[in-house]
């Protein structure tokens, strides 16, 4: 597929050309190893799922994973080539390799993954480095209030307040279901932010920048709440 935006459309009508293009792929049956049905489920927000177009029968309902990428295909990055930088308004910037992250204390817990569009996946086991630990190692300056997380997909970014980022259930996740985070789920390293909606959980994480502001990120620019706290 080309590089057009995919993932949540936030209730926007799905472009007819996009849908027809995906249906055309039905002849092939899979896109990047996944089913066309699954691809459609990425594109169709709940409003479309209720739309009796006939296309809805192609969309699996229920609470299953959707693999989101606003940039289309992302080049996989091997753990050996992976680097995470922590910089910005901090006393000590740092660059971590995958091995560096794996050598830090790991926190594990099981939680429900909740996308703001309504789907959720219960009982997901996560493991990784607490964001608070990485922030403590960096030492935010006195005027720092926010953290910007960026993805090596080149487009996705999201913010949290420093306080949100320090919560016990915000981790730089290295493992999911007891296995390394898969590429489709944002591996080798993604964020998991338990008390916030899925859009705060940046996939393919490669930059943590401590900031003196709290600017909106990719989805917040498109209308999602800046704090992203589940249930608010
Ligand atoms: N880089 C990147 N991170 C992302 C997204 C994305 O499109 N690109 N989508 C977000 C949204 S809205 C959700 S719900 C989750 C989905 O995670 P999954 O693809 O592992 O299911 O990833 C979040 N992180
Ligand atoms: Mo989401």
């Amino acid at each position: 597929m080309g590089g057009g935006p995919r993932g949540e459309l936030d209730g926007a009508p799905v472009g007819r050309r996009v849908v027809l293009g995906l249906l055309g792929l039905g002849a092939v049956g899979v896109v990047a190893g996944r089913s066309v049905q699954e691809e459609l489920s990425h594109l169709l927000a709940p409003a479309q799922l209720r739309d009796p177009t006939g296309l809805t029968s192609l969309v699996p309902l229920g609470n299953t994973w959707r693999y989101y990428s606003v940039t289309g295909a992302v080049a996989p990055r091997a753990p050996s080539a992976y680097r995470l930088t922590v910089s910005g308004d901090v006393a000590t910037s740092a660059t971590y390799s995958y091995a560096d992250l794996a050598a830090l204390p790991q926190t594990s817990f099981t939680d429900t993954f909740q996308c703001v569009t309504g789907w959720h996946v219960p009982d997901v086991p996560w493991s990784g480095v607490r964001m608070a630990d990485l922030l403590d190692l960096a030492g935010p300056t006195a005027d720092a209030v926010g953290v910007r997380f960026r993805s090596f997909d080149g487009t996705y970014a999201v913010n949290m307040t420093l306080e949100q980022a320090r919560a016990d259930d915000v981790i730089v996740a290295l493992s999911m279901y007891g296995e390394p985070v898969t590429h489709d789920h944002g591996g080798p390293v993604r964020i998991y932010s338990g008390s916030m909606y899925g859009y705060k959980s940046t996939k393919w994480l490669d930059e943590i920048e401590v900031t003196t502001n709290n600017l909106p990120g990719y989805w917040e620019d498109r209308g999602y709440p800046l704090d992203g706290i589940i249930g608010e």
Side-chain angles (χ1 to χ4, degrees):
M1 293 186 49
R6 294 195 309 183
E8 294 169 306
L9 294 180
D10 197 20
V14 174
R16 181 163 297 165
R17 276 190 323 133
V18 175
V19 172
L20 290 178
L22 279 169
L23 289 176
L25 291 167
V28 179
V30 291
V31 181
R34 302 192 296 272
S35 69
V36 169
Q37 283 84 346
E38 205 172 2
E39 288 294 322
L40 278 169
S41 76
H42 302 171
L43 282 161
L44 300 176
Q48 279 78 42
L49 292 178
R50 286 192 296 274
D51 190 6
T53 56
L55 291 176
T56 54
S57 63
L58 294 172
V59 179
L61 300 172
N63 292 313
T64 58
W65 285 104
R66 277 78 163 161
Y67 303 105
Y68 281 150
S69 172
V70 298
T71 50
V74 176
R77 190 158 296 184
S80 58
Y82 178 81
R83 298 291 183 273
L84 173 65
T85 62
V86 183
S87 64
D89 294 293
V90 295
T92 316
S93 299
T95 300
Y96 296 90
S97 68
Y98 187 87
D100 293 335
L101 293 173
L104 289 171
Q106 306 290 303
T107 296
S108 303
F109 56 91
T110 297
D111 201 6
T112 298
F113 190 92
Q114 178 73 58
C115 173
V116 72
T117 62
W119 61 271
H120 66 274
V121 182
D123 302 327
V124 183
W126 295 97
S127 183
V129 180
R130 282 189 55 194
M131 191 66 74
D133 290 348
L134 292 178
L135 292 169
D136 285 348
L137 287 166
T141 58
D143 54 349
V145 295
V147 188
R148 185 79 161 175
F149 302 109
R150 293 193 186 84
S151 170
F152 63 77
D153 70 10
T155 301
Y156 204 81
V158 98
N159 266 61
M160 291 180 200
T161 65
L162 202 46
E163 193 188 346
Q164 277 179 298
R166 285 182 179 283
D168 284 350
D169 59 0
V170 177
I171 61 169
V172 169
L174 276 64
S175 131
M176 194 178 163
Y177 296 111
E179 304 285 341
V181 178
T182 61
H183 174 68
D184 280 346
H185 278 303
V189 172
R190 75 175 296 166
I191 292 178
Y192 177 65
S193 53
S195 52
M196 287 162 255
Y197 286 113
Y199 66 90
K200 292 292 187 184
S201 292
T202 304
K203 298 166 64 168
W204 308 295
L205 176 72
D206 74 342
E207 267 185 67
I208 297 174
E209 186 194 357
V210 177
T211 55
T212 55
N213 54 36
N214 188 27
L215 298 175
Y218 184 90
W219 282 118
E220 294 91 343
D221 276 338
R222 291 159 178 79
Y224 286 3
L226 189 56
D227 74 11
I229 305 286
I230 293 171
E232 282 183 5

